[in-house]
Amino acid sequence: MQTKLKTKLNSNAQAVLDTVQATQNHPTALEIYEAVKRVRPHMGLASVYRILHNLVELGYIKEVGRSEECNRYDGNVSRHDHAVCTNCGALLDVPVDVNIPSEVLEQAAHAAGIELGSYEVRLYGLCPACSAQNNS
């Protein structure tokens, strides 16, 4: 799936964007690098990191699941929620809308001392593969 771009991207940036948008598994920078390297063998890892940062700043992709271990990226920039497997760490899109009344969101933001900009719900539990392993 190719995005109509607001800003003209060079071929390296376009290759990174296409790779992120083609996946459903919220890849890490290293996973993106490995995939892009197949089509652009001379691109370095530092370039991929820089391009990912720029694509996030431009709003073409989202950075999700940021942790000390790694960042994950999402080509779906529309508001949606995620589920996280507490066993393997898989990050999955929640395929239904999780509706929270705006008053509750504003109250939570106020209690945290922030001005609400956006929100994301995170669900934690076992993914289907890990659940099946536990039940066998």
Side-chain angles (χ1 to χ4, degrees), residues 9-69:
L9 298 178
N10 67 34
S11 58
N12 285 346
Q14 189 63 54
V16 170
L17 177 62
D18 291 345
T19 299
V20 174
Q21 290 179 331
T23 66
Q24 298 296 313
N25 67 341
H26 307 89
T28 65
L30 189 56
E31 291 167 337
I32 295 164
Y33 167 71
E34 293 296 332
V36 169
K37 195 122 175 86
R38 291 184 206 116
V39 293
R40 305 207 54 89
H42 300 293
M43 190 183 313
L45 181 58
S47 294
V48 170
Y49 274 105
R50 186 175 52 257
I51 291 167
L52 287 168
H53 177 74
N54 289 337
L55 290 173
V56 169
E57 281 191 345
L58 292 169
Y60 295 127
I61 62 175
K62 286 176 26 179
E63 188 176 63
V64 294
R66 187 176 201 159
S67 70
E68 290 178 14
E69 294 115 36

Side-chain angles (χ1 to χ4, degrees), residues 65 82-87 89-91 94 120-127:
H82 292 97
V84 180
C85 179
T86 54
N87 187 51
L91 183 65
V94 174
E120 174 185 318
V121 173
R122 293 266 174 122
L123 306 174
Y124 295 88
L126 294 178
C127 71

